Amino acid sequence: MSLRIVVTVKYVPDATGDRHFADDLTVDRDDVDGLLSELDEYAVEQALQISENSDDDVEITVLTVGPEDAKDALRKALSMGADKAIHVEDDDLHGTDAIGTSLVLAKAIEKAGYDLVVSGMASTDGTMGVVPALLAERLGVPQVTLLSEVSVEGGTVKGRRDGDTATEQLEASLPAVVSVTDQSGEARYPSFKGIMAAKKKPVESWDLSDLDIDEDEVGLENAWTAVDSAAERPARTAGTIVKDEGEGGKQLAEFLAGQKFI
Amino acid sequence: MAEVLVYVDHVDGAVRKPTLELLTLARRIGEPVAVALGNGAADTAAALAEHGAVKVLTHEAAEYADYLVVPKVDALQAAVEAVSPAAVLVPSSAEGKEIAARLALRLGSGVITDAVDLEAGDEGPVATQSVFAAAFTTKSRVSKGTPVITVKPNSAAVEPAAAAGAVEALSVTFSAQATGTKVTARTPRESTGRPELTEAAIVVSGGRGVNGAENFAIIEALADSLGAAVGASRAAVDAGWYPHTNQVGQTGKSVSPQLYIASGISGAIQHRAGMQTSKTIVAINKDAEAPIFDLVDYGVVGDLFDVVPQLTEEVKSRKG
Ligand SMILES: Cc1cc2nc3c(=O)[nH]c(=O)nc-3n(C[C@H](O)[C@H](O)[C@H](O)COP(=O)(O)OP(=O)(O)OC[C@H]3O[C@@H](n4cnc5c(N)ncnc54)[C@H](O)[C@@H]3O)c2cc1C
Ligand SMILES: Cc1cc2nc3c(=O)[nH]c(=O)nc-3n(C[C@H](O)[C@H](O)[C@H](O)COP(=O)(O)OP(=O)(O)OC[C@H]3O[C@@H](n4cnc5c(N)ncnc54)[C@H](O)[C@@H]3O)c2cc1C
């Protein structure tokens, strides 16, 4: 038996950098360093753990849709231990929204071949948390999403989902799409050996024609959503800051009373 | 006037507040038609009618509880086909976003998540989003199909408005995918008796500076004196001091209360992502250089073990 896992990983602008928008209201990628979305490290980690706990032959492919630099995200995932990588890159992809991104990812996943897709809970830039559900819908397979615990055994995936009002135990047959939260377990650091090995691992590059996607199905012009404006939030007016000299709690209470909170 | 579908988030018939907010926003763009599914669906009608629902489409079936997400998508799709709405609004919970996305895909529509405001526009509803950890405010539209938009809790003040709220049974045929993901067990969250974190008007949060699970009693005491919900930073959650369900931030809950009080929290970007849109922000931190002070309306540089109990006593005595 073999198990083919595809991990979707996004290349995102560093959240601690000065993120902003370009003139066409897409994310400005030139001024901020990019990296593998930290929440996708958890997806790579869980794929590696599924592989380590499995008696089957497991092959882990990491997949990204993004600009040229997105290769960095793939390298990071390969250095953590994934086996190979696929980079979908095409100038016509610029500005693609969630519906479009899920189309490209789904076509690439089908072309790669899969038994299990593992995604992060959300990207750290768009933070929509919808792509895994969209992939399940497109691929016509179960979604087993937002898992804080996941296991795969005998063609079944099981997991725990900590929801708003309840904790649920979930179960589905493979093939399936899973997404994992940052509660699923700390992601490993790539070892020196891992980093060296990653340099030799295959990275395939596909464009839209490889995936039979028309240029008018993706990109900013063809997106299902349109951003009309983006404005920097005005800086908050400087607040009052006091040093506690023994009366700090009382002073704060005075402020709260003035604001009618008490 | 055009109809607007509103997905009802309820627990056994008790409507949760974000849905009432959606009804208020829906009235800006059309006539709200509510869709309530699962156990107790019909019991939601009275509350929905008081808040402007002209119609309440209901459907009860075991599938909604026994399988994940897809049965609800099937039902919303049936509702869209029955009503041909101008837009579909869904509360921005984790599940709500997944339902909205799959529905949009089926309808050939675009989806916008986490709107913080909504208004009518010439080309359909315009959504305001607060992005990049609330550093930017964008205005977006769905440009293809029936707009499907999820809205964050606390995005609008609930305004009652009586309407007919006529209950109609929705006819739903479940898709082949509906039973794909089985829910094999469910443990409801124990109620603390405190307000729901995302819905609370006041949130009192503790971070690494609280320094221990037992010390969270100090944070809870302040919260209780103010009738507030309790939040925590990821550092406090990861240390096991407070449950993950109370985490505020990018990978926790996003809150937008009237008042947010942060104690022993530095204000890392991922924490700010979940609380920066709070109306009034207060922080207590012993480090005058902590980034949280850049956000505050009022800050106390001091030891939380001195300041928080004193504040709690003062609140109690002022409230009598
Ligand atoms: C601030 C901002 C707001 C946006 N708002 C909207 C909106 O309202 N509607 C809309 O349609 N689009 C929106 N977009 C565009 C959208 O973010 C991208 O199309 C994106 O690729 C999909 O959504 P996400 O990044 O939020 O992914 P999420 O759904 O949050 O990501 C979940 C997981 O999907 C996988 N994934 C996502 N994107 C990729 C990728 N490119 N390559 C590989 N794996 C991936 C990862 O595993 C990730 O962890 C927005 C973008 C930004 C920057
Ligand atoms: C992908 C990703 C997602 C994340 N998601 C989240 C999230 O959802 N929520 C979140 O909170 N974080 C999140 N984080 C973590 C975030 O980056 C920070 O590590 C975290 O917010 C720090 O928590 P803290 O402020 O409690 O701790 P610290 O940064 O350690 O700050 C503790 C503060 O307490 C003060 N202090 C100490 N003792 C006292 C005292 N006695 N009295 C008063 N003040 C005192 C210190 O001066 C300090 O400022 C995420 C990180 C990543 C990478």
Side-chain angles (χ1 to χ4, degrees), chain B residues 208 233-234 247-251 264 266 270-271 285 303-304:
Chain B
R208 201 194 303 270
S233 74
R234 178 160 147 188
Q247 182 178 316
V248 171
Q250 190 189 349
T251 54
S266 62
Q270 297 89 355
H271 187 79
N285 194 305
D303 192 322
L304 71 90

Side-chain angles (χ1 to χ4, degrees), chain B residues 18-60:
Chain B
T19 299
L20 304 180
E21 296 168 14
L22 284 196
L23 289 170
T24 303
L25 290 174
R27 294 204 302 272
R28 297 186 191 163
I29 49 181
E31 281 192 327
V33 172
V35 182
L37 306 172
N39 187 34
D43 301 339
T44 60
L48 298 171
E50 280 167 30
H51 292 87
V54 295
K55 227 190 300 184
V56 182
L57 305 177
T58 63
H59 189 245
E60 293 199 23

Side-chain angles (χ1 to χ4, degrees), chain B residues 156-167:
Chain B
V158 174
E159 291 161 17
V167 178

Side-chain angles (χ1 to χ4, degrees), chain A residues 16 37-40 42 124 182, chain B residues 206-211 232-238 241 244 247-253 260 263-274 284-293 300-306:
Chain A
T16 58
S37 172
E38 282 141 320
L39 295 171
D40 291 340
Y42 294 89
T124 58
D182 59 337
Chain B
R208 201 194 303 270
V210 174
N211 200 25
S233 74
R234 178 160 147 188
V237 168
D238 283 354
W241 302 340
H244 177 246
Q247 182 178 316
V248 171
Q250 190 189 349
T251 54
K253 300 270 164 62
Y260 188 83
S263 300
I265 294 179
S266 62
I269 184 83
Q270 297 89 355
H271 187 79
R272 276 155 53 176
I284 299 150
N285 194 305
K286 65 181 183 190
D287 175 10
E289 304 294 321
I292 191 89
F293 285 125
V300 180
V301 179
D303 192 322
L304 71 90
F305 293 100
D306 299 328

Side-chain angles (χ1 to χ4, degrees), chain B residues 37-88:
Chain B
L37 306 172
N39 187 34
D43 301 339
T44 60
L48 298 171
E50 280 167 30
H51 292 87
V54 295
K55 227 190 300 184
V56 182
L57 305 177
T58 63
H59 189 245
E60 293 199 23
E63 277 84 350
Y64 298 117
D66 294 350
Y67 299 92
L68 194 71
V69 173
V70 187
K72 294 169 179 167
V73 182
D74 289 342
L76 262 189
Q77 186 181 12
V80 169
E81 281 159 11
V83 170
S84 300
V88 181

Side-chain angles (χ1 to χ4, degrees), chain B residues 120-151:
Chain B
D122 297 339
E123 296 163 279
V126 176
T128 304
Q129 286 169 295
S130 185
V131 305
F132 290 159
F136 281 82
T137 304
T138 60
K139 291 204 186 278
S140 334
R141 277 173 298 118
V142 169
S143 44
K144 290 185 193 169
T146 307
V148 181
I149 300 173
T150 79
V151 182

Side-chain angles (χ1 to χ4, degrees), chain A residues 28 42 50 127 159 197:
Chain A
D28 187 336
Y42 294 89
I50 289 168
T127 65

